[in-house]
Amino acid sequence: LKGMYDTFVGDLEKSNADEADSQKAFEELMATKKQELETLQATLESQEMDEATKNKMLADSNALLDDTKVKLEADEKLFEDVKAGCKLKAEEWSERTHLRTMELTGVGEAIHILTNEDSRDVFQRSVTTFVQVSATSRRNGASAELLSHSVKLGSLARKYHNI
């Protein structure tokens, strides 16, 4: 019986030692797993935060893109309006320049005719033959119409700074 007892005690001690070693290995494994769990949770939290930041940036970028598209359309419309206005102004300027050139050519030609040697002779002969004796003023429809046209021409000249 003593042999059996000694064997039982030896086996019990061996089992207790094995149990203690197993418990220690289990506790070390649990500590390692807890540390891994904490690391994984921190990584998950960090990745969720990054994803939220990226989603916010995407939403902000999409809103900015929409605003930019609206502004681009408005700017393109304004550009077309300004372009059409400039074309109209260029055509008006071209017409005014052409008319002004024709007017200056006509004035130059009139001056040439009036200062020509032949014209001087005609004027000198006409001074002796034509003398105005009297003048009368009539206010009828024709002269009122001419006066009206003169006023209109004067206002147009002031409007276009062409006096």
Side-chain angles (χ1 to χ4, degrees):
L1 205 59
K2 175 116 175 112
M4 219 161 111
Y5 176 76
D6 288 336
T7 304
F8 178 73
V9 170
D11 286 342
L12 182 63
E13 284 179 8
K14 185 178 174 191
S15 290
N16 283 340
D18 288 343
E19 180 71 26
D21 288 341
S22 294
Q23 182 66 29
K24 185 178 177 184
F26 175 75
E27 287 175 3
E28 287 175 359
L29 177 66
M30 285 306 291
T32 303
K33 292 296 180 182
K34 276 187 179 180
Q35 191 176 21
E36 286 178 2
L37 178 65
E38 288 174 3
T39 303
L40 289 174
Q41 284 177 339
T43 303
L44 177 64
E45 188 176 308
S46 172
Q47 288 178 348
E48 286 175 347
M49 200 62 147
D50 287 345
E51 183 181 1
T53 303
K54 289 177 184 177
N55 286 339
K56 184 180 182 314
M57 287 177 60
L58 179 63
D60 291 345
S61 296
N62 284 337
L64 181 63
L65 178 64
D66 291 342
D67 292 344
T68 304
K69 284 181 181 179
V70 168
K71 187 173 181 174
L72 177 65
E73 288 174 8
D75 288 347
E76 286 176 344
K77 184 180 182 312
L78 176 67
F79 176 72
E80 290 300 321
D81 292 344
V82 169
K83 193 166 122 180
C86 287
K87 184 178 179 183
L88 179 65
K89 293 290 182 187
E91 290 171 359
E92 289 174 357
W93 179 254
S94 175
E95 179 67 23
R96 283 181 60 200
T97 305
H98 177 69
L99 290 175
R100 180 74 173 167
T101 303
M102 286 177 45
E103 181 181 333
L104 290 174
T105 303
V107 168
E109 197 172 309
I111 290 172
H112 175 70
I113 290 172
L114 293 174
T115 59
N116 191 353
E117 195 65 39
D118 295 335
S119 300
R120 284 188 195 160
D121 292 339
V122 171
F123 288 138
Q124 286 187 358
R125 281 181 286 175
S126 69
V127 169
T128 60
T129 58
F130 294 108
V131 175
Q132 181 175 349
V133 178
S134 68
T136 59
S137 169
R138 292 187 218 168
R139 296 250 175 198
N140 59 17
S143 65
E145 185 177 319
L146 286 175
L147 182 62
S148 165
H149 288 294
S150 296
V151 171
K152 288 181 184 176
L153 282 174
S155 68
L156 283 173
R158 278 190 294 283
K159 178 180 177 184
Y160 292 106
H161 307 289
N162 198 9
I163 294 179

